[in-house]
Amino acid sequence: MPDPQPVTVGPGGVAAAGGILLALALAAVVLDGVLAARAAGLPAGAAVARPLDETVRLLRQRRRAPVSSDVLLWRLGGGGLVVVALLMVAVVPLGRWVVADLDVGVVWFNAMDVAVWVLVWLVGWGPNSVHSLVGGYRFLALALAYELPLMFAIVAPAVGAASLRVADVAAAQEGLWFVVWMPVAFVVYCLGVLAFSLWGPFAVPLGRDVAGGVLAELSGVDRLLVQAGRYALLAAGAAFAVPMFLGGGSGPVLPGWAWVLVKTVLLLGALVALRRRLPAVRPELAMEVGWVVLLPAVLVQDLVVAVVVAARG
Amino acid sequence: MLLDVAFWVLGLVAVASAVLVFVVDSMARATYALALSFVAVGLALLLLEQSYVGVVTVLMMLMEMAVMGVYMVMYMGMNPALMPMSMVHDNRAALGVSAATFVVLAAGALLVPWPVRRGVPAPDVTAALGEALMGRQMLVMVVVSPVMVATIVTGVVLAAGRTRYDRFGDDLDASPPRDPHRGGVGR
């Protein structure tokens, strides 16, 4: 049962929100490792310890920076991804609780996902390395293609609920989840989440064909932060979909906060699993697909939602 | 008290990072110093309880600066701006103009007799601001926006090196069009 007036939590709650996001990101790493092991026909046991192994390895690794790299911008870009993911989940209500009950929470989420443009490009620019820079430009090319469809996709639930407050959007889905009658917006939103997390088909900015792209020169704790940021963004995107499309905390038996977590974990698992099922999106072709196919489709979706809302009065 | 501190900190960040645009020697740093300045202004708007306007300012400016950075690196400077560069040209005249502009604007802000508040703020200040800015001029705005779109399209068409005859042939019947790069939807 979603609560239309969520309680803003104190500092302890903020720390808890960060902890939950980190736990979700870790779960995504483990799941991805298990799927990778299974795809390679190896035992999955080692994948469970993988996040810990990799964290310890990167924390012990020495940070290095190429000659005349712009260390300030590089580190800002790399460290910013986790921060942006935290700021995204700040507006997602967990049952009764929310970190920041903004009246324009939907726009806030959008502003944060645009900040990823800046951060990824800076990670590409910073190290003064060709491969990184190519990766940064690839991301911007993809961003121009996916961002407008993503924006109009999150417009649909906001119009459906007649509010930009995330808690209002969740509360407006009593009886019928928005994913049921806004399927196009939901699919485009999920593609956007994959894209701003540099995940699966949208991982070409860090592709092997450009020697790792934006990851090429990252080492030690800097690499750890960027990789953690990607998984955290994926988790934050899944968490934000719950109040927007999946009915928020509504569901039988369990309390609201538990349903939010269950739905987030399920969607996150699906997004992680998609990584090995979709082909890579070529940046030079993405623009036309985004603007000739996805954008009109999602605009029609918005029109349908607006007409339904107007007809209902 | 807390709001006062926030206002002054955001104001100082906005001005200081705007100055940095002309101090730093890298196109990327100049671009993102400007972005930081805009973000500080956007956050300052939140202090006016214009939360929509403030957050949208942050959103648009981050997006704009990310794209502008690409163009700055492409076009500015004799080298393609990958080497150290300066944003300042014709220093003496520029200093004179900017100092004069600053004095005029600051004098205006200080000397104008500011009105005292009558009544109380509207419950939804964002809607009130929109009404005050656009209410009477709605017809003008509605006319201006298609004109602007037409201008953009015309500009792109005039600037494009290849016309539709290059793409579709003299009789405009070539299919698929002859483009140097394939598009993403099979054209």
Side-chain angles (χ1 to χ4, degrees), chain A residues 54 75 187 217 262 302:
Chain A
E54 183 70 359
R75 302 262 152 93
V187 170
E217 302 290 344
V262 167
D302 287 348

Side-chain angles (χ1 to χ4, degrees), chain A residues 172-201:
Chain A
Q173 298 172 62
E174 296 246 3
L176 190 60
W177 293 359
F178 282 164
V179 65
V180 178
W181 61 290
M182 305 176 187
V184 179
F186 179 68
V187 170
V188 172
Y189 172 81
C190 288
L191 286 177
V193 172
L194 293 177
F196 70 61
S197 315
L198 300 146
W199 188 255

Side-chain angles (χ1 to χ4, degrees), chain A residues 227-248:
Chain A
Q227 290 288 31
R230 285 176 66 215
Y231 284 97
L233 282 169
L234 199 64
F240 188 72
V242 173
M244 292 300 276
F245 291 101
L246 303 176

Side-chain angles (χ1 to χ4, degrees), chain B residues 1 6 12 23 28 37 51 53 55 57-59 65 73 91 94 96 116 121-122 139 145 151 163 167 180:
Chain B
M1 179 59 199
L12 284 175
V23 175
S37 179
S51 40
V53 181
V55 175
T57 304
V58 173
L59 191 166
M65 288 302 133
V73 170
N91 294 11
V116 286
L139 185 62
S145 35
T151 312
T163 68
R167 298 189 65 215

Side-chain angles (χ1 to χ4, degrees), chain A residues 70 73 121-129 132-133 137, chain B residues 26 28 73 81-82:
Chain A
D70 193 332
L73 293 185
W121 189 79
L122 287 180
V123 178
W125 169 271
N128 189 30
S129 138
S132 293
L133 193 59
Y137 279 119
Chain B
S26 127
V73 170
L82 292 167

